[in-house]
Amino acid sequence: MLNRAQLETFMEMMFEEKRIELPEDIELEDVVEAFCQYCDDELVDWLKMRFSSFFLMGSGESSIDWNWVRQNISSL
């Protein structure tokens, strides 16, 4: 799900800011891929949780409060 090019740029910036140097035997691309997998696993679970709280707002698994959704859309 994550854009690897953007994540690589972000990680380069963070490594520089935190003064972190990669060991010679670890490639940045490998770190980016491993971090993407780590984040994607967490992100899917987080998205599922947020989906339920946005659409099902305590109304049960079968009904969606579309008026509440409309209010959120109109407030953008």
Side-chain angles (χ1 to χ4, degrees):
M1 278 191 192
L2 294 172
N3 180 309
R4 278 147 174 80
Q6 288 177 331
L7 183 58
E8 184 171 334
T9 300
F10 169 78
M11 291 182 77
E12 286 174 333
M13 179 185 71
M14 291 304 297
F15 286 154
E16 184 176 324
E17 181 181 307
K18 303 290 184 187
R19 295 186 177 119
I20 297 171
E21 292 186 30
L22 289 176
E24 290 181 18
D25 63 331
I26 298 178
E27 298 292 326
L28 179 60
E29 294 79 19
D30 295 334
V31 173
V32 169
E33 185 59 32
F35 191 70
C36 276
Q37 291 300 315
Y38 170 79
C39 290
D40 279 346
D41 291 344
E42 295 293 320
L43 183 58
V44 169
D45 291 338
W46 182 82
L47 286 170
K48 287 178 182 178
M49 187 174 56
R50 300 306 296 169
F51 179 90
S52 292
S53 68
F54 184 84
F55 287 103
L56 303 175
M57 292 296 295
S59 63
E61 291 292 321
S62 60
S63 61
I64 296 174
D65 184 351
W66 288 111
N67 288 327
W68 185 85
V69 173
R70 284 183 188 92
Q71 289 173 355
N72 276 276
I73 293 169
S74 67
S75 70
L76 296 177

